[in-house]
Amino acid sequence: MEEVTINALIINFAYVVSAALFILGLKKLSSPATARKGNMLSALGMLLAVVVTLLDQSIVDFKWIAVGIIIGGVIGATVARVVAMTVIPEMVALFNGFGGAASLLVGWSAIAPGQSSFTITTIFLSILIGGMTFTGSLIAYAKLSEKMPGRPLLFSGQQIVNSVLILSIIGCGVMFVNDPSNVLWLYSAIAISVVFGVLAVIPIGGADMPVVISLLNSYSGLAACAAGFAVENNLLIVAGSLVGASGIILTQIMCKAMNRSLSNVLFSGFGAVKTTNTKIEGEVKPLTPQDAYYILEAASSIAIIPGYGMAVAQAQHVVKELQELLEENGAEVVFGIHPVAGRMPGHMNVLLAEADVSYDLLMEMDDINPRMANVDVAIVIGANDVVNPAAREMEGSPIYGMPVINVDHARTVFVLKRSMASGFAGIDNPLFFKDNTRMIFGDAKESIGQMIREFS
Amino acid sequence: MEEVTINALIINFAYVVSAALFILGLKKLSSPATARKGNMLSALGMLLAVVVTLLDQSIVDFKWIAVGIIIGGVIGATVARVVAMTVIPEMVALFNGFGGAASLLVGWSAIAPGQSSFTITTIFLSILIGGMTFTGSLIAYAKLSEKMPGRPLLFSGQQIVNSVLILSIIGCGVMFVNDPSNVLWLYSAIAISVVFGVLAVIPIGGADMPVVISLLNSYSGLAACAAGFAVENNLLIVAGSLVGASGIILTQIMCKAMNRSLSNVLFSGFGAVKTTNTKIEGEVKPLTPQDAYYILEAASSIAIIPGYGMAVAQAQHVVKELQELLEENGAEVVFGIHPVAGRMPGHMNVLLAEADVSYDLLMEMDDINPRMANVDVAIVIGANDVVNPAAREMEGSPIYGMPVINVDHARTVFVLKRSMASGFAGIDNPLFFKDNTRMIFGDAKESIGQMIREFS
Amino acid sequence: MEIVFLTFILVLSIFLGFELINKVPATLHTPLMSASNAISGITLVGALAIAGSTSDPVMANWLAVGAVTLATINVVGGYMVTDRMLAMFKKKAGK
Amino acid sequence: MEIVFLTFILVLSIFLGFELINKVPATLHTPLMSASNAISGITLVGALAIAGSTSDPVMANWLAVGAVTLATINVVGGYMVTDRMLAMFKKKAGK
Amino acid sequence: MLIAVPREQYPGENRVPMIPDSVKKLIRAGATIHIETGMGNGAGFSDEQYSEVGATIVSDRAALLTEADLVLRLRKPAIEEVDLLKSGSVHISFLDPFNERELVEKFQAKNISSISMEMVPRITRSQKMDALSSQANLAGYVMVVKGTDALDRILPMMMTPAGTLKPAKVFIIGAGVAGLQAIATAKRLGAKVTAFDTRAVVAEQVQSLGAKFLDIDLGETGQTADGYALALTPEQLQIQLDGQKAEIADSDIVITTAQLFGRKPPVIVTADMVAAMKPGSVVVDMAAENGGNVEGSVAGENVVTANGVKIIGSGNWPNEVPRDASQMYSSNLFNLVDEFWDEEAKTFTLDFENEISGCVITHEGSVVNQMIAKHYA
Amino acid sequence: MLIAVPREQYPGENRVPMIPDSVKKLIRAGATIHIETGMGNGAGFSDEQYSEVGATIVSDRAALLTEADLVLRLRKPAIEEVDLLKSGSVHISFLDPFNERELVEKFQAKNISSISMEMVPRITRSQKMDALSSQANLAGYVMVVKGTDALDRILPMMMTPAGTLKPAKVFIIGAGVAGLQAIATAKRLGAKVTAFDTRAVVAEQVQSLGAKFLDIDLGETGQTADGYALALTPEQLQIQLDGQKAEIADSDIVITTAQLFGRKPPVIVTADMVAAMKPGSVVVDMAAENGGNVEGSVAGENVVTANGVKIIGSGNWPNEVPRDASQMYSSNLFNLVDEFWDEEAKTFTLDFENEISGCVITHEGSVVNQMIAKHYA
Ligand SMILES: NC(=O)c1ccc[n+]([C@@H]2O[C@H](COP(=O)([O-])OP(=O)(O)OC[C@H]3O[C@@H](n4cnc5c(N)ncnc54)[C@H](OP(=O)(O)O)[C@@H]3O)[C@@H](O)[C@H]2O)c1
Ligand SMILES: NC(=O)c1ccc[n+]([C@@H]2O[C@H](COP(=O)([O-])OP(=O)(O)OC[C@H]3O[C@@H](n4cnc5c(N)ncnc54)[C@H](OP(=O)(O)O)[C@@H]3O)[C@@H](O)[C@H]2O)c1
Ligand SMILES: NC(=O)c1ccc[n+]([C@@H]2O[C@H](COP(=O)([O-])OP(=O)(O)OC[C@H]3O[C@@H](n4cnc5c(N)ncnc54)[C@H](O)[C@@H]3O)[C@@H](O)[C@H]2O)c1
Ligand SMILES: NC(=O)c1ccc[n+]([C@@H]2O[C@H](COP(=O)([O-])OP(=O)(O)OC[C@H]3O[C@@H](n4cnc5c(N)ncnc54)[C@H](O)[C@@H]3O)[C@@H](O)[C@H]2O)c1
């Protein structure tokens, strides 16, 4: 693109526009209300970019391009349409892998005699990152779709091998930049990057794959960016670096949500230990009050089940406020009061009356249990024994046969308590390990306070 | 800068760095905790930019530059150091004006034969915007420093004059771009822009000046940006457009805070009416709960004075939560209970007890009045008669002689009520018009709820 | 000089990227990921560009066409999947 | 081509500007304003650049030197005033 | 200036007009205080406590009264005792002037300035002397305690392993000072509270205490400048009765505080309404002593109807909490005296410029209070 | 299966063992119910209400008892009446087996399965049959109402134009079921509540009701598996007494609920402590009937000490709210019967696998309850 054809100008301004569209898209994507629109926008941007780019093409290769686009489009579309919702993470991984591969190829094909060593470097980078993104994503896919054991695969001396690889990558890099004509370096670079991608991911446990994917996604962004430098295309740079940056952030956010550090996740040894840990604990799924808010915001029917913990936390006032906010938000809120909740008969009544919760909202156990199946979210506030499914399920349990509030029948259950400790009866509670249960750890008053602050 | 000297490369990368510094600076500036650091950072960026630019200079003009820098530096520094805090808004206006003037001159001096019409256009823009920013800011300065009547100056046919000006500006622009050599167009352009700046601002009331300044500030950013295009300097473009964009946003935020629309502010007719309005009402100063939060956050001693309105709003529970949050934040909070607050003896006690506010925090009128002078913020929640200074000040008043809680002796007073309506005794309340009073209109429960949500 | 501009662009977009994704609800993590993944399919454009202007047609074409195919999968698939996810999300939030 | 880059830069920085100043406390409005106002003094750099490389020394110099002077006032004054404001703000928030 | 505080003589009256604390304040203000032996006993204050703060204990009641320049007491005096008072002296107490014409004329004849605590104008500034409010306020609380004690159920809701106990329903008629405090107290105990009042303005006040206001459209109803309700027309009263029927039948406790200033209180709970209530439920009639809001209530007694409904008419409610009641009345008195206290002369001097002087009934041998004068005319 | 419910005969007892609602449930479960004439009157239930739900009203008490397969009642039977019962029949009521050896041996001799409501084990699952808790709970509420009624002050704080009334101080000793409910009720009324209990675990429970827990370090104190407190050593008791002195002297109302399961309750408020209290203040002794926590309390009476402190020992607290008390006891009974009800045979059949059978005292001619057996041995 040395001399400026008017055509090129148009194209580039179109690029500016589509870059803007990507940005807007991402912005909107970060709020539930506008997310879908955002996705459309960025898709639009993409379309625009592709179309104008095609304007630039000589008819000769056009048919090949057409072939590529059609094949790819069909595959992508069908896959995207047919796959079950549950396997979407795998899909994302797979797509991401293709993206990486694409960058690899672009970089590769961008090689031309007499390029500045800067250009060569970027080319090399795009190949490298592209390659490892490719295989890395494939492994991630395999692990998620259980085509391959989800548990971390470790072999002794892994670290060493990795370091060796990294060194040799650098080596190849240097050589390649010095003498681009020598394809050997190129091929070995490709080979190594591909291998490295595999080795980087296998030692990470299936549970951590989402994080990995998000990271690889950010890489593929960087790959695109590098490719952009290679072919001197601003849009690639902008879009690529956007994805790169946001990907990193997103990865960090995800780590925070599962309170892990990124290094925890990546560095095999640790990653492995950690994951097995969680296995032992069964699947306890913690949730931050902030995230809890987003689920509550979308819920239309909510049941609050208070217990002794609400009393200890003196959370009745915030509970009342939460109830009001939820109602303003259009949800229907009821309280399910178990006869023995608390430490004295009517303990919950005293507190809720103090907080001025209308009597009409208080439902007895026998009235609320039947409708539990239609409850979107059951919020268990410092209750334990009185919502313990063991009373139904575990013949042996000391409380077997005692009627409890069947929160586990609700679509989602939030349990607000400080720890995994047991309640008055001193027995474990299988509820905490159910699929639809999310544990919100911390003093109930604190946690609810934080949820409330999300409303605004 | 057609051919790339290594020098130029260094400079430009330095620019990249200082751009980054500006960005970081702005980011930090938007949170109280980090603001000062932010300012430092962006100053650093500026320094860097200047220094590296100087590297580029031939010694010849260097002395002139030195002269300019020294003069400017001295003036700026002294002014900035000596001025009283109270006149800072004027100062900002003034500085902004100089910025504008600078852009004007830069644009002017950038003119050179044989420039592309694009460059010419940008030059023209930088001159134009620079010029109107200059005079506009001067007027703003004059109005704020009462060197000139703060009230809107209106003359009939203003609209027409303005439209004429705008047209002629466009006219000049076209002509100038076609034939840059003809300085006439240039001078007239400058003249007009200067005049326009004046006319644009005089019809706006002194109360609205902050908004205007912020807007002009954003303009001077755009001017710089235009200048950047003119002299093909990326840093100018980046910094300029950053300021431009953020300036616009800031302006909008400010308008929201005074719940006005930007057009309200700008379009003389309305501007005028509005400002006179506020005059009539005396100086009632409304405040948003959000902003109230920032003041509360900085306060160390707070007194809450509840009245009948708290009961009506059933705000006792949120009040209690606010108290707790303030205490967590390190402030000391007490409640001042007037004996006749509410509609029955002990009305406030009933409610606060319900919300479980510790009895030890409740102070009688006679105990709290003496310490009122040391209270940072007195929050009056739906009280009116019981905090009415008329009881002390206005011989005639029906409640003259009744002891009241002297909230007006506190440093700042927040009054939470729905309107300017009077209370049970049906008499007006001078408190609402005092300098240190801020009215937070709306249902007390709502308002406090919003403050609470700011804590997080 | 280009390289300067490019770096500028790079730096700016990185900052922007950070700013944009500052705090997203966990509910949106996956959609967001797959959306930005789709964006990273922008290499498609690069591929197209190459596929046209390259010194070694035959070889490059094959690579490029490969690139185009893969990138297209990434783009099309990515956007559609994202949309599907968000669609159900919307439904819930909708009521 | 430059102009393309420049527009890219423009667009990106505008977006960035918006993102950065999204919600600032009223307490910070004035400081923020005067800080960004100081930044807009960046014209100084332009002025400096010109003052060196221009076709018509005499005339341009005077203009440029004027520009330098004014811009410097804007920059120096702007930053210092801002700092003063923030200083007292800090004190209050500090305790 | 000699201020005398005789001992209350009304049978069963435990409240006392002055507590040592207020006596102290008056003495500090420069007054000389004589109190009758045992004046404070009812509320648990010993003579010692008074002498400690500087009062003189006098055992001879007659002497006490004859010497006094200013007499402070709670209940209206026996007519004979007025004869003992000095001409030109001042007498402050409840007087019930609307019904005690004879007594008032006695004051007039003896040229005594008599002040009626009932007549303290109801302006914001004067609330600290408003003994009607301070006592009514306590009455509101006491009535709920009595009602709760008499009820065969508990007030709050309780969901317990042994089944759920529904909250008791309390219906309060008349949401003035007493009514509002009753509402607050019943709410505190966890009852479901509904209230009604003829003055529409109080609906908001009722809700401000978290209770329900029963909506009955009576059309135009008024209130005096002092905030007292005007009497209803017979039609309106009928509408009210019909409107309340259902609510009353459904309530566990009904408390009536409906008063008409200076008039006989209206009958607002009829026998058939009581008959319609559940056995074991309770009706508290605040006004029992002076006529009663409830048909079948007996002044000063608790009766049980045929269908097992308890009607509590014990009356003199604040007397159930004599300590607090005395403290409040005593400071009402002090504030009133203080209002007209002449710093220099250290005397009590009425100032008819001051609107609060509206509480003066007789002065210099004539009935100066217009309302009363009109009432007699 | 014929279930008989005789009328309670203890003087002044208004609670009834079965309310119509529970009777209905039992009949639905397939039982035949005979009740004695007027059985429900005390709590306001008429014979009609019972016959309506299908019970047979029997006027001949002797006949009623002799025919019964299962007898349900509230208080322990008179020994003579045990003779009337069928051998092999079942008898459920409070029995106080620790002190009623003679009665228990009578049951044994007559080969009657006797079940003591006191002995229902305190496991989470059995709370719905736990009559001690359900009645103690109401007692907690009633004691506060009584105390409030007796006090010469109001409980809540009030800042009024006539000065500020400080909140009353309430001190509650023993924070078990009754104690906690007392705390809650006093809190509701706005009192400043402090509580103490020997079982450290309840400190948190007390705070969970917004009350203050008085810290006295007694060293090692225990509680049984059922959560009952163990007796203190003399030294510990002394420490406790000293620790409470100040608090008690400072309190307006002191409520004692300290019990030791199956033992005489400890004396925890001594005469000198009472003497140190303000005149007009009140002490409520829950345990007055069986020994008492308070020195000088008289079972079933309210005494006023020399220094004017009222000691309330009226006892049988739940009886003050017979309607609710009966409802709760009745559903406790129903739940217990239901627990051992044989769906097919439609009979009450004890199952000694079920831990709740711990409440059975005698069965097939022997004392099956270990604790009691040990106690007698
Ligand atoms: N109602 C009665 O009359 C009565 C009387 C005596 C005993 N009981 C027994 O008490 C139990 C009542 O059941 P329940 O579910 O209400 O209580 P629970 O089973 O005792 O569980 C209470 C839970 O609240 C949590 N918690 C404590 N403090 C908290 C805080 N500040 N914030 C958040 N969570 C907190 C605790 O978990 P963390 O420690 O992890 O936070 C605990 O697991 C039953 O077993 C019942 O038999 C009842
Ligand atoms: N304590 C007693 O025993 C007693 C008895 C009778 C009368 N009074 C009289 O009542 C008065 C008490 O003084 P006060 O200051 O407590 O009350 P007030 O003077 O009546 O003022 C109450 C204020 O609250 C505001 N308000 C009402 N609803 C509100 C809501 N939902 N949110 C926010 N603000 C609300 C109203 O202004 P907006 O409408 O603008 O919101 C009103 O100005 C005194 O005059 C006293 O004499 C007292
Ligand atoms: N200084 C002041 O501002 C001040 C001081 C005290 C009281 N007040 C106001 O004065 C008003 C009356 O005070 P009060 O309690 O002494 O009045 P009150 O004792 O004379 O009457 C008690 C209540 O009974 C109501 N009532 C009368 N007839 C009724 C009927 N047929 N049905 C139902 N209710 C009926 C009245 O409206 C009043 O609310 C109150 O609103 C109070 O707020 C004002
Ligand atoms: N199923 C269950 O889980 C269940 C059911 C009911 C009660 N409980 C628990 O059982 C415990 C005891 O119940 P209760 O109220 O029937 O006990 P109780 O009636 O036997 O005793 C009342 C209280 O007095 C206390 N006490 C004893 N000696 C004392 C002394 N010297 N000083 C101060 N306090 C003293 C006891 O600790 C107890 O808290 C309670 O904690 C209750 O929570 C558990």
Side-chain angles (χ1 to χ4, degrees), chain F residues 138-312:
Chain F
L138 293 172
Y141 167 89
V142 170
M143 287 190 292
V144 173
V145 172
K146 291 285 169 213
T148 307
D149 186 31
L151 187 63
D152 66 348
R153 303 197 43 220
I154 65 171
L155 261 54
M157 176 190 217
M158 273 189 206
M159 295 168 139
T160 80
T164 294
L165 305 178
K166 301 245 158 310
K169 290 217 178 69
V170 177
F171 181 42
I172 290 165
I173 306 177
V177 175
L180 287 177
Q181 193 55 257
I183 292 171
T185 311
K187 268 295 280 174
R188 278 184 141 145
L189 277 165
K192 243 189 160 143
V193 184
T194 312
F196 175 71
D197 195 304
T198 53
R199 296 178 303 127
V201 293
V202 297
E204 188 192 50
Q205 302 177 13
V206 168
Q207 282 142 5
S208 84
L209 286 163
K212 188 162 147 292
F213 188 80
L214 178 67
D215 258 323
I216 305 177
D217 181 3
L218 299 178
E220 198 40 60
T221 61
Q223 79 179 57
T224 71
D226 283 344
Y228 293 113
L230 301 175
L232 296 179
T233 67
E235 300 69 34
Q236 288 179 317
L237 195 51
Q238 195 48 50
I239 300 176
Q240 176 184 356
L241 297 188
D242 303 342
Q244 296 171 346
K245 252 199 183 65
E247 187 68 32
I248 291 177
D250 189 36
S251 300
D252 298 290
I253 300 182
V254 173
I255 299 179
T256 66
T257 75
Q259 312 247 15
L260 295 171
F261 186 66
R263 273 223 211 60
K264 184 177 180 312
V267 171
I268 47 181
V269 178
T270 57
D272 61 322
M273 292 182 184
V274 176
M277 293 176 74
K278 295 192 239 44
S281 47
V282 179
V283 180
V284 184
D285 182 356
M286 179 183 190
E289 272 188 327
N290 35 30
N293 289 135
V294 182
E295 221 173 319
S297 73
V298 182
E301 287 184 23
N302 304 347
V303 296
V304 180
T305 67
N307 65 324
V309 176
K310 303 198 187 96
I311 303 180
I312 304 185

Side-chain angles (χ1 to χ4, degrees), chain C residues 24-93:
Chain C
V24 263
T27 26
L28 283 180
H29 286 176
T30 326
L32 190 56
M33 186 166 75
S34 92
S36 56
N37 163 37
I39 296 183
S40 70
I42 190 67
T43 12
L44 174 54
V45 170
L48 296 172
I50 292 281
S53 60
T54 168
S55 48
D56 163 359
V58 194
M59 167 66 164
N61 265 1
W62 290 124
L63 294 178
V65 171
V68 170
T69 321
L70 294 173
T72 316
I73 298 181
N74 184 0
V75 170
V76 177
Y79 280 116
M80 290 180 66
V81 163
T82 315
D83 191 58
R84 262 184 74 188
M85 275 187 261
L86 294 172
M88 31 177 326
F89 186 88
K90 253 265 176 293
K91 244 190 271 75
K92 250 172 92 233

Side-chain angles (χ1 to χ4, degrees), chain B residues 308 340 342-343 345 382 384-385 417-419 424 443-444, chain E residues 124 127:
Chain B
Y308 179 55
V340 306
R343 287 293 182 275
N384 190 340
D385 300 344
K417 63 202 296 287
R418 297 164 306 183
S419 66
F424 183 90
D443 177 82
Chain E
T124 295
Q127 282 187 81

